[in-house]
Amino acid sequence: MSACRGGGSAAEAEARKTGPADEGIATELEALRRVATLLAGGPRPEEVFSAVGAEVGRLLMVDVAVLVRYDLARAVTILATWTRTGAVTPPRVGSRLPLGGRNASTLIFQTGRPARIDFADASGPLADAHDGQIRWSLGVPIIVEGRIWGGVIVAYGSATSMVADAESRLAGFTELVATAVANAQARLELGKFVGEQEALRRVAMMVARAAAPEEVFAAIAAEEGRLLGSDLTVMFRYDPDQAATAIGAWSRTDRPIPCPAGTRERLGGQNVISLVHATGQPIRIDDDANAREGPAEVTSDCGIRSAIGAPITIEGRLWGAIRMEFSPDEPPPPDAETRLAAFTELIATAIANTNARAALRGFAEEQAALRRVATLVARAATPEEVSAAVAEEAGRLLGAHHAWMTRYEPDGAARLVATWSSTGAAVPAGTRLSPGGRNVYTLVFQTGRTARIDGSPGALGPDCEIASELGVRAAVGVPVSAGGRLWGAMVVSSTQEEPLPAGIEARLTGFTELAATAIANAEARAALAASRARVVAASDATRHRIERNVHDGAQQRLVSLALRVSRLKTVLPPEATELTGHLDRAAAEISRVLDELRELARGLHPPALTSGGLRPALKTLARRSAVPVRLDIALDGRLPEQVERAAYFAVAESLTNVAKYAQAGVVDVEARTDERELRLCVRDDGVGGADPGRGSGLIALTDRIEALGGRLGLRSPPGGGTTLRVALPLTTPPEPR
Amino acid sequence: MLLREGLASLLIGSSFDVVGRAGDPEELLALVRSHRPDLVIVDIRMPPTRTTEGLEAAQVIRRELPETAILLLSAHIEVEQATELLASGRSTGYLLKDRISDVEDFLATLDRILKGAAIVDPALVQELLAARRVDDPLEDLSPREREVLTLMAEGRSNAGIAHQLWVTEGTVEKHVRSILMKLRIPEAPDDHRRVLAVLAFLDSH
């Protein structure tokens, strides 16, 4: 091994070649010892680098010595430099230069071996940096844990000063550097590991206590930002429409965050968020010109030069990204994007949990909301009640600002059946939305399918003035079909620029199907009630007609006949006793027929009901009851004819049943009205145990009462008497629609 | 129509003078106002609705010509209609149409009405008396008293009841007093008010 002295002149170069070998070895060992001593103190790698640079420079009498670090992005970062004379300008410490071309750094990186370059054939950005000042350069790799970590590059201004075995002599130093780096790296890794673990633990704890997602996202931005020393860290979620929404942001300074949570940025151009979206890979942009090229970045405002980004992948899908921006004074560490990506991956797991939890909670809430509506439907609530519930539950659950249940008119106009608003700007039910125009309810009417309009100031259509007044900008409409035809539409809308969440249509459908069921049920019920009412009315009309015919026809004729028979007797000679006897029997027979006819007519249609109303009719019933009746009647004048008739038949049927089955001592009959309904109660003190399905009488009665929108309840515990309760609305039931 | 002609024929044959026949309330009122008959026989069911037009016409006649005797014929009997009519005054009858066929009885009834009696169809009285009651006050009555009460309700005078039951009028008076006391029905100044009081009692118990 030759001894050398540092120097740039020809004389010094000569001295390097001819120096005593022992002295050279001693010098070299001394230099190695100094570096090793330094290493033992556990210095920062930067100190080691500058010590190594200085020792190597002096020992090998180079003009420039440089320590470089390779990173994944095929570039080197200058870690330390040493110059002997200052005649050659070394690259700036901390600068980052791309690999490529023919130069020592690039060759070392490509081959993993020492490289020697004559600058006559050198090329590439690293060579260009020393244009004209360098003749030869020599590089030796620094291998840390089997991987190329970096290199020591030395350079000479003249070809003559080149040392023959410089490579092997350098190698001794690079091994020390490698040791220092490995140690430092181990310490650093440990520090990072601890920091990351703590950050992760904090995030995980937030997730575990089911913190709101926005809180978790803000915490993640802060933790990652602190870990990597960024100035501004923003977490984004990618939207389906080539845009990203900031969901959490952190700034090291007190400066206002230029893109707080909720900010939306469109994708495109050479910027971190767009590039991560395009590649799904971590990205690093050092060039501030590039960083500012696309619309997504706002770096210039903060004087931020460098940015890194890493994807957030959840369940195999690119979900979002983290962007970190760094000030020119503190550029990101060389492996920052790799660390960011690794940490982000851990974070993604936490987010996935948060997502799953939120989804689960959302699902549970949705199920609860649907269950509440379904209960209403099961209770046979009116379509108006169900619509109101659907509007509120769906609106609240889906985070809409307005939720309307509309019903179509034949011309396509939409009548608001029920409305709900989170803003308090309620639109009254009954409002009519004009037909036509570009709006979701018209689209649903025209296509019979779901419709969506996003991000339009007139999302509910230019013709929908109400929507414009409300400032609706996004709307979704879902058809409501009942009985196989389009009945109406559920319309939810938002006043925010951003579109309503994807999939909202499917979630709405769960609600609209329930509403449709309620509507179909109500229509079927109304149709059934109307049909029953028609049957009852037709039957009543027939009975009334027959009763009149009996009274005014058959009865009159029979009375006339009886009169003639009776008078016939008066013209017979007194001795015609046999004939007189025949006539008497005929008269008696006619009289019995008349009695029977009268009873028949009364059963068909009680005359007392027509002439005097319910009170005298019930009194007649009570008088004729086989079981004593206590009447308690508190009626306010005459009631609707159908109500009186239904009440009469209810009491008549009950008294008949009491006489037949109850073995009762007394029956209490109560009839009273309030402003809304007539309530009847027939209660006996008999044996009870009556079967509600017994006999056609009660079934016919149920039909009659339900046809009027009334209710009938029978309670008959064994041994506890029988109580029939009937409530009949005093208003006529609504016509089926 | 058929019945009206049969009835008219019966009355003419029984030395009544039939001064007019009407098919609706207006016609009836016009005839009554012009002829001022002693007795009007009205079917409760008259046009246009064939429900209670006859009763209403009878009330008008009672107000305008209180001396006119009125017999209301009905296809069925209702205590409300009976009391409503009877409350308007004496010389009143409320009978089932069927009663016409028992000619002798019917003509006798007409006579009694013309003489001022208030007459209620026996079927109605029977229904009132037969009604099952809780704590029935009628249970306190003797069988004889029940008979007397029935006849009172039908509008018989004490003399009429005595004749019917083959007892002296004094006996009837005794029964009547006992009945009124037991049922706590106030004494009435005349027969027709007595009928009303008895009907009201029976209807409300």
Side-chain angles (χ1 to χ4, degrees):
Chain A
M1 198 176 279
S2 312
C4 296
R5 284 186 291 110
S9 66
E12 282 168 346
E14 188 60 26
R16 275 180 226 132
K17 286 177 185 167
T18 57
D22 287 353
E23 190 197 333
I25 289 165
T27 312
E28 187 169 340
L29 285 175
E30 183 61 20
L32 284 169
R33 194 184 56 74
R34 277 197 299 275
V35 174
T37 308
L38 179 65
L39 273 177
R44 296 190 300 129
E46 295 78 34
E47 290 175 53
V48 179
F49 300 153
S50 50
V52 165
E55 298 292 353
V56 164
R58 276 197 294 273
L59 206 61
L60 298 185
M61 287 179 277
V62 300
D63 294 316
V64 180
V66 179
L67 226 85
V68 300
R69 160 94 202 258
Y70 297 106
D71 61 43
L72 289 178
R74 297 186 59 77
V76 291
T77 303
I78 310 301
L79 296 180
T81 59
W82 177 87
T83 53
R84 187 170 62 88
T85 59
V88 174
T89 316
R92 185 165 58 81
V93 169
S95 65
R96 197 162 164 276
L97 295 165
L99 293 175
R102 182 173 167 75
N103 49 63
S105 297
T106 306
L107 278 176
I108 294 169
F109 184 75
Q110 286 166 348
T111 63
R113 297 155 63 86
R116 186 181 282 246
I117 296 288
D118 181 346
F119 259 59
D121 4 286
S123 63
L126 282 157
D128 297 345
H130 308 281
D131 194 24
Q133 298 174 318
I134 300 290
R135 287 289 297 134
W136 284 95
S137 72
L138 178 66
V140 178
I142 300 170
I143 311 288
V144 177
E145 289 165 2
R147 283 174 45 215
I148 292 191
W149 181 87
V152 175
I153 317 289
V154 296
Y156 300 93
S158 69
T160 51
S161 54
M162 195 75 188
V163 177
D165 59 348
E167 286 94 336
S168 62
R169 298 173 69 187
L170 263 179
F173 285 95
T174 57
E175 270 171 34
L176 280 174
V177 172
T179 306
V181 168
N183 287 345
Q185 202 155 302
R187 274 198 307 279
L188 194 68
E189 288 301 325
L190 189 65
K192 281 179 188 169
F193 181 75
V194 169
E196 283 179 6
Q197 286 306 304
E198 285 187 346
L200 258 183
R201 192 177 52 79
R202 284 191 291 272
V203 171
M205 274 176 67
M206 290 188 82
V207 173
R209 67 174 162 83
E214 49 273 25
E215 205 182 321
V216 174
F217 297 150
I220 290 169
E223 295 289 359
E224 297 210 27
R226 276 192 215 103
L227 266 180
L228 294 172
S230 112
D231 265 23
L232 178 66
T233 301
V234 186
M235 190 166 167
F236 286 92
R237 189 195 65 218
Y238 290 119
D239 295 331
D241 57 342
Q242 284 294 307
T245 303
I247 53 175
W250 173 82
S251 168
R252 183 158 56 171
T253 63
D254 293 337
R255 269 197 300 257
I257 293 169
C259 41
T263 312
R264 253 168 75 81
E265 295 187 358
R266 303 215 75 81
L267 297 181
Q270 297 292 312
N271 52 67
V272 164
I273 290 302
S274 302
L275 289 173
V276 169
H277 185 256
T279 63
Q281 297 294 320
I283 193 92
R284 176 185 190 115
I285 296 180
D286 280 324
D287 184 349
D288 59 345
N290 278 346
R292 267 183 281 126
E293 193 176 287
E297 311 287 355
V298 280
T299 50
S300 56
D301 292 347
C302 318
I304 283 167
R305 295 301 179 92
S306 305
I308 60 172
I312 304 170
T313 305
I314 292 173
E315 286 160 8
R317 202 171 50 84
L318 183 63
W319 182 87
I322 290 214
R323 180 179 76 205
M324 283 190 179
E325 295 165 14
F326 295 84
S327 74
D329 310 332
E330 287 183 61
D335 60 345
E337 68 270 30
T338 318
R339 285 185 61 199
L340 177 61
F343 185 66
T344 302
E345 206 172 293
L346 294 171
I347 287 296
T349 310
I351 296 172
N353 286 344
T354 312
N355 264 10
R357 196 183 304 275
L360 196 64
R361 194 165 52 215
F363 182 73
E365 281 169 5
E366 188 165 334
Q367 290 305 304
L370 283 171
R371 200 168 46 243
R372 283 192 292 274
V373 175
T375 308
L376 265 187
V377 174
R379 282 215 318 261
T382 63
E384 288 73 20
E385 288 174 279
V386 173
S387 294
V390 162
E392 176 171 353
E393 297 282 7
R396 207 182 283 285
L397 188 78
L398 302 176
H401 291 131
H402 300 282
W404 298 344
M405 178 66 84
T406 68
R407 179 175 184 196
Y408 289 120
E409 296 184 352
D411 61 352
R415 182 77 69 181
L416 299 186
V417 179
T419 62
W420 176 86
S421 164
S422 69
T423 62
V427 182
T431 306
R432 184 175 182 270
L433 309 179
S434 310
R438 181 176 174 272
N439 51 60
V440 290
Y441 65 83
T442 299
L443 286 173
V444 171
F445 182 75
Q446 286 163 350
T447 63
R449 302 229 289 267
T450 60
R452 169 186 277 263
I453 297 177
D454 277 327
S456 154
L460 271 166
D463 299 330
C464 189
E465 286 175 19
I466 298 163
S468 305
E469 282 169 25
L470 293 172
V472 165
R473 299 175 80 86
V476 164
V478 175
V480 178
S481 297
R485 73 198 158 73
L486 185 64
W487 183 89
M490 177 85 201
V491 176
V492 300
S493 56
S494 156
T495 55
Q496 276 178 6
E497 180 74 35
E498 69 179 285
L500 288 161
I504 200 169
E505 291 91 340
R507 298 176 69 191
L508 268 178
T509 306
F511 287 98
T512 54
E513 279 174 2
L514 281 174
T517 305
I519 290 158
N521 285 351
E523 288 188 348
R525 270 199 308 277
L528 183 65
S531 153
R532 277 169 152 185
R534 279 195 299 275
V535 168
V536 169
S539 136
D540 283 347
T542 306
R543 295 167 81 129
H544 201 166
R545 188 167 47 76
I546 294 171
E547 179 260 342
R548 273 184 169 171
N549 287 347
V550 166
H551 278 147
D552 301 335
Q555 203 183 35
Q556 301 272 58
R557 284 169 170 277
L558 281 173
V559 173
S560 294
L561 184 61
L563 184 58
R564 279 160 74 176
V565 169
S566 182
R567 292 188 66 197
L568 210 52
K569 284 197 301 182
T570 62
V571 298
L572 284 178
E575 63 275 15
T577 49
E578 196 183 338
L579 198 53
T580 308
H582 281 306
L583 287 176
D584 279 343
R585 282 192 292 280
E589 184 61 26
I590 292 170
S591 180
R592 273 196 295 279
V593 171
L594 277 168
D595 287 344
E596 281 173 20
L597 264 186
R598 199 160 47 243
E599 283 308 303
L600 176 69
R602 190 203 289 270
L604 283 172
H605 182 91
L609 200 55
T610 314
S611 53
L614 195 52
R615 179 195 296 273
L618 291 184
K619 283 174 99 166
T620 306
L621 275 179
R623 273 201 301 272
R624 295 163 66 93
S625 166
V627 179
V629 174
R630 278 193 296 242
L631 273 180
D632 178 5
I633 302 177
L635 297 175
D636 200 11
R638 291 295 297 262
L639 308 176
E641 192 187 341
Q642 295 162 300
V643 173
E644 285 189 339
R645 207 179 293 139
Y648 175 85
F649 282 114
V651 175
E653 177 66 23
S654 298
L655 292 180
T656 304
N657 285 336
V658 170
K660 277 190 195 164
Y661 310 106
Q663 303 168 42
V666 66
V667 189
D668 282 292
V669 175
E670 271 178 47
R672 50 191 70 243
T673 49
D674 58 22
E675 61 276 12
R676 285 185 303 112
E677 57 184 18
L678 164 69
R679 285 194 305 276
L680 287 175
C681 176
V682 181
R683 184 190 302 119
D684 69 51
D685 60 354
V687 295
D691 172 12
R694 180 179 62 200
S696 56
L698 200 58
I699 293 165
L701 189 62
T702 308
D703 266 359
R704 184 181 279 279
I705 284 160
E706 288 181 356
L708 297 176
R711 308 181 302 280
L712 178 145
L714 185 73
R715 226 181 81 81
S716 187
T722 300
T723 304
L724 177 85
R725 287 180 191 278
V726 171
L728 285 160
L730 296 179
T731 48
T732 37
E735 283 296 304
R737 288 167 297 185
Chain B
M1 176 77 168
L2 186 67
L3 184 61
R4 189 175 66 203
E5 292 316 312
L7 186 56
S9 158
L10 168 71
L11 292 175
I12 292 164
S14 312
S15 62
F16 278 89
D17 190 6
V18 175
V19 294
R21 300 162 206 195
D24 62 60
E26 284 74 35
E27 211 181 335
L28 171 67
L29 289 173
L31 278 173
V32 171
R33 281 165 193 148
S34 60
H35 290 284
R36 311 255 170 144
D38 297 319
L39 170 70
V40 181
I41 302 175
V42 191
D43 185 344
I44 202 166
R45 287 160 81 103
M46 289 179 95
T49 69
R50 296 187 178 275
T51 52
T52 56
E53 279 88 348
L55 179 59
E56 285 146 27
Q59 306 278 32
V60 175
I61 295 168
R62 214 359 86 79
R63 274 200 306 278
E64 291 183 10
L65 302 161
E67 294 308 309
T68 312
I70 299 173
L71 172 60
L72 200 60
L73 293 178
S74 181
H76 55 86
I77 41 174
E78 284 173 44
V79 68
E80 282 75 18
Q81 292 177 346
T83 50
E84 203 175 319
L85 183 70
L86 263 55
S88 68
R90 55 205 288 276
S91 299
T92 312
Y94 178 73
L95 290 180
L96 276 175
K97 281 179 192 171
D98 307 19
R99 304 299 169 212
I100 303 169
S101 59
D102 191 344
V103 174
E104 270 176 48
D105 207 38
F106 179 66
L107 293 175
T109 306
L110 289 186
D111 270 339
R112 286 171 52 216
I113 294 173
L114 281 165
K115 285 175 184 149
I119 290 180
V120 173
D121 196 284
L124 177 57
V125 175
Q126 202 49 52
E127 185 180 306
L128 288 168
L129 282 165
R132 297 284 315 276
R133 294 173 171 83
V134 185
D135 304 324
D136 193 349
L138 300 188
E139 280 173 7
D140 295 342
L141 303 185
S142 68
R144 192 49 136 186
E145 285 171 342
R146 265 184 104 93
E147 278 180 280
V148 172
L149 179 67
T150 306
L151 293 169
M152 280 163 73
E154 286 174 8
R156 303 270 177 180
S157 64
N158 286 356
I161 296 169
H163 177 72
Q164 194 89 8
L165 299 180
W166 298 93
V167 294
T168 64
E169 216 176 312
T171 311
V172 172
E173 273 172 29
K174 223 171 69 193
H175 285 312
V176 168
R177 268 199 301 278
S178 165
I179 291 165
L180 295 180
M181 205 179 68
K182 284 180 178 171
L183 302 184
R184 295 177 192 179
I185 299 173
E187 291 248 20
D190 56 44
D191 286 347
H192 111 262
R193 275 177 230 179
R194 186 169 82 179
V195 175
L196 267 178
V198 171
L199 286 183
F201 171 82
L202 292 174
D203 187 35
S204 61
H205 283 84

